[in-house]
Amino acid sequence: MVALDVDGTVVDRNGALPTAVKDAIALVVAAGVPVVLSTGRSWHGTRDLIDLLGLPPGPAVCSNGAVTVTYPPEEVVKAITFDPREVIDRVEAFAPGTLIAVEEIGRGYRLNGHFPAEDLTGEMIIQDSEQLGALPVTRVILRDPTRSSEDFIALAQHLGLHGVTYFVGWSAWLDIAPDGVNKATALAEVAAGLGLTAVDVLAFGDGRNDLEMLRWAGRGVAIGDAPPEVQAVADAVTDTFADGGPVAELRRWFG
């Protein structure tokens, strides 16, 4: 099985899919090997890429492992949720003004203010903090364009979040998921359903939310742009995205 992160691995920061990457993934499909997108994106933001890649029916891991979908036809086979109220209360106490969004699977987001353009896709419903915390959710997203990713690492530590898993993005972005949930936990279930184990998996990623996946996979490959801590846990580091990203490694195994 080949597990692929999306942003910074398959598509660039603007969502563009290079032809060379698409062609390399097509070689995997032609070899009859399952390709599973494993992304921090919502399902709503992932579906069109599956169509663009021409992937056969199968699973996709979204929301950093909290949501697993099979497509086509579309079926949410697993959605792990948690109570977001403590997170929202702590953020508003420690970092007032932070943008907060909670995911609505397959639809979009409920949020306390407008995120920068292109950050999120789908339906956007503005709500107050009490409404945002009223229902269990698969993910909480924190965003502040005025801060750096290092600021958000400090914020996550300062919040002292318990009972959740968090991932700091490449920008001032913090994803908060249910406790113990990450891409590796979801991929392990997907692999088991295909009669596979971690040793049978080739995984690619470039972000901090890929750490667990790269450690877990039989061969975990970091894209050359990945932060040092991501490269450190990988079995190999391939080209930067601009130089082909996963292409050389995919062609190494699939022609």
Side-chain angles (χ1 to χ4, degrees), residues 161-248:
L161 299 174
H162 299 289
V164 296
T165 302
Y166 67 84
F167 308 95
V168 179
W170 59 273
S171 61
W173 181 293
L174 185 65
D175 264 332
I176 301 171
D179 190 28
V181 171
N182 54 61
K183 293 182 180 184
T185 59
L187 285 169
E189 293 189 7
V190 168
L194 297 171
L196 306 173
T197 64
V199 72
D200 303 306
V201 179
L202 171 62
F204 294 83
D206 77 311
R208 297 180 183 92
N209 61 337
D210 297 313
L211 286 166
E212 295 85 0
M213 176 178 72
L214 296 181
R215 288 193 193 101
W216 168 81
R219 182 169 174 82
V221 181
I223 304 302
D225 308 283
E229 62 266 38
V230 177
Q231 295 190 27
V233 305
D235 297 299
V237 178
T238 191
D239 298 322
T240 64
F241 187 85
D243 289 329
V247 171

Side-chain angles (χ1 to χ4, degrees), residues 28-53:
V28 185
V29 174
V33 173
V35 175
V36 179
L37 297 187
S38 182
T39 177
R41 287 188 180 197
S42 67
W43 167 240
H44 182 275
T46 306
R47 181 172 47 218
D48 288 349
L49 180 59
I50 291 176
D51 291 335
L52 185 60
L53 289 169

Side-chain angles (χ1 to χ4, degrees), residues 1 34-37 50 55-61 68-71 77 190 194:
M1 183 174 91
V35 175
V36 179
L37 297 187
I50 291 176
L55 299 183
V61 170
T68 302
V69 179
T70 56
Y71 175 79
V77 296
V190 168
L194 297 171

Side-chain angles (χ1 to χ4, degrees), residues 7-8 33 39 69 89-90 123 130 140 153 249:
D7 295 288
V33 173
T39 177
V69 179
D89 290 345
R90 283 180 173 270
E123 182 181 5
E130 184 174 342
V140 175
I153 292 173
E249 179 77 12

